[in-house]
Amino acid sequence: MSDDVLRIEGLHTDIAQYHILEGVDLSVPRGAVTMLLGRNGVGKTTTLRTIMGHWAAKSGSITYDGQDITAWPTPARARAGIGFVPEDMGIFTDLTVEENMVLAAASGPLDATRLETVFAAFPPLRTFWKSEAGNLSGGQKQMLSIARAMAEERKLYLIDEPTKGLAPAIVSTMAGALRELKRAGASILLVEQNFAVAKALGDHAAVMDDGRIVWTGAMAELAADAGLQERLMGLSMEVTG
Amino acid sequence: MTAAPDHAPTMTRLSAADRLAKAAPFLLVPVLILAGFLAIGTTSSWLTLTVSGLAMGMMIFVMASGLTLVFGLMDVINFGHGAFVSLGAFVGISVLLALPGWTAEPSLALNLAAVLLAIACAMVLTGLSGWAFERVIVRPVYGAHLKQILVTVGGLIVIEQLIHVIWGPDEIFLNRPETLQGAVTFAGAALEKYRILAVVFGLAIFLAMRLILRRTKIGLIVRAGVQNGQMVESLGYRLRLVFIGVFVAGSALAGLGGVMWGLYQEVITAGMGERMMILVFIVVIIGGLGSVEGAFIGALLVGLMQNYIAFLEPKLALISNIGLMTAILMWRPQGMMPVVKAK
């Protein structure tokens, strides 16, 4: 059996009249962080949403943990162990932090040990446990969004731009939590525009352009080659952090 | 575990204006009752009209609560909802008419047993009909509002005609069970016993719904689903099944509302549900789509307004609720307590 938790082959996805994904081939190794990179509008979010089943694949296949899940409905994918953190965070704003977390534990009661791990990673969630999630700050909402994905054991996390628009201190908290997930053996497919975070967390990288994967390799290799970054993503940046 | 940066976040207290804005919908009912008192002048008339308005509001709420959740959960506009009101009324009243020994006896226990049996039969049958309606009529048109309106109106017409076929084309008059007839006198006002019972019953249903929505996992799923169904599915819940459950429960509640309304009016017709839908839609809209609490407050406002205006200026009664809706939408364009934001 392959050591890839997720394997995507020839994935095409249309949204209305737009052909967004044009044959994505991607593998996510087990127990590693794979960065999905690329300019805005190249299909990164659509790739995650197609894996999650929000958009139906027009053709191609998605194999997760050895099973072809291409035709599975979204809830079945989630119950199979795929956790999803969307770009807009998907917080239930009228529910309290506690209710958001209780809901995230779909297979039973919220595990106390797991909850302590969440609180250790994101202390503000303990403080605002009984507060309406809609009253949280942007950073706290993002914490809750990731915490929700951590409420149950997952084999694969799909995380879409978790540091977008956040203050540096909160970005550091996010990166810490994701590093902890990685250390615990989780497989993560992470879309991230903050290259410093990508460099710090990523083991592997896949770069998208025009609805296809145009480069795959080690994140360290990409981070070390400014010319490659510029060619693939139009980036020419001094990587810091 | 990587330590998060030290910080001690605090939640800013809402300003008095913000708190008032949040509580404002809840204050509207007592404000309207007070305004009614000042406008009517005599305590006995005001009390009679207030109880009547509250009773009417409770019954409209029972009919509207399912509809607002159905819209909130799956974005389905069901114009056929009124058919379940009529169907429920005919089934329930038929049960009552078949139990003359229970309804004619001056025994509160026997009378209530007859009413509860009628309600149970009506809810079971309208619930089952709702299940079939969702499967046959609503399911093929998910995501297509225009088609939903057309086919659910078609479903309404079919069910109304079926009522004509089964029960005949004439309206059916009835008497309330013996102990629910007449009125009690309180503070010089004659308060109909049935209206008091309707207020108590409606309030109990609202509290039960609120308890389920606030204190159970299924309630949590429904509340979250109304806000963001795709995210609920991404957490592993099969929202389609939840929706079918809510649709069936909403249809059963409409049936219950039909029985209550039939007993209130003491006459039932196949078109009664269709006529009630105007008020039901007003309640759903002013309450805010997807909000049970909003529907509850909206229903009480509609019931009270209709009764007060009918007493003060009968010619304006017909347009009073349209005026109420206009005023509320000018104040809060998405309704008083919207859960579903503009879709």
Side-chain angles (χ1 to χ4, degrees), chain B residues 195-273:
Chain B
R195 291 178 183 178
I196 296 170
L197 180 72
V199 171
V200 173
F201 203 61
L203 193 62
I205 287 170
F206 169 67
L207 292 175
M209 281 185 78
R210 203 177 143 80
L211 198 69
I212 291 169
L213 286 170
R214 297 270 161 189
R215 295 275 180 264
T216 67
K217 185 96 176 234
I218 188 72
L220 211 52
I221 295 168
V222 170
R223 284 164 60 211
V226 168
Q227 273 191 56
N228 187 343
Q230 195 174 61
M231 195 62 225
V232 171
E233 293 208 311
S234 297
L235 293 174
Y237 299 100
R238 288 192 287 174
L239 204 59
R240 285 273 307 113
L241 290 181
V242 177
F243 171 70
I244 293 168
V246 168
F247 198 96
V248 168
S251 305
L253 283 169
L256 164 61
V259 180
M260 291 174 74
W261 192 251
L263 283 166
Y264 182 68
Q265 299 284 69
E266 297 187 288
V267 59
I268 56 172
T269 66
M272 63 186 277

Side-chain angles (χ1 to χ4, degrees), chain B residues 16-196:
Chain B
D18 287 341
R19 271 177 290 168
L20 186 64
K22 244 184 155 177
F26 295 98
L27 298 175
L28 284 180
V29 173
V31 165
L32 181 60
I33 290 173
L34 184 65
F37 179 73
L38 296 174
I40 292 162
T42 54
T43 308
S44 57
S45 300
W46 168 77
L47 200 52
T48 302
L49 291 167
T50 300
V51 172
S52 177
L54 290 175
M56 184 178 170
M58 294 292 182
M59 286 181 266
I60 297 170
F61 162 72
V62 171
M63 297 176 213
S65 54
L67 190 69
T68 198
L69 283 177
V70 162
F71 184 87
L73 263 184
M74 297 300 270
D75 204 15
V76 168
I77 302 173
N78 179 16
F79 274 70
H81 196 70
F84 303 113
V85 174
S86 300
L87 186 62
F90 274 84
V91 172
I93 299 307
S94 298
V95 170
L96 284 178
L97 293 175
L99 297 169
W102 291 24
T103 55
E105 281 291 315
S107 156
L108 182 61
L110 215 50
N111 293 169
L112 281 180
V115 170
L116 289 176
L117 184 63
I119 285 171
C121 292
M123 289 183 78
V124 168
L125 206 94
T126 49
L128 288 172
S129 306
W131 175 77
F133 195 89
E134 192 279 336
R135 196 168 176 81
V136 176
I137 293 179
V138 175
R139 196 173 295 184
V141 291
Y142 276 131
H145 281 161
L146 185 60
K147 288 180 183 173
Q148 284 167 11
I149 292 170
L150 291 173
V151 300
T152 56
V153 167
L156 171 77
I157 294 168
V158 169
I159 293 177
E160 276 186 12
Q161 294 308 310
L162 281 174
I163 290 174
H164 283 309
V165 170
I166 297 168
W167 281 278
D170 300 327
E171 54 199 8
I172 297 175
F173 292 91
L174 62 134
N175 290 320
R176 291 177 199 142
E178 186 65 25
T179 56
L180 301 182
Q181 292 178 16
V184 292
T185 306
F186 176 77
L191 307 176
E192 277 194 32
K193 292 178 193 170
Y194 179 71
R195 291 178 183 178
I196 296 170

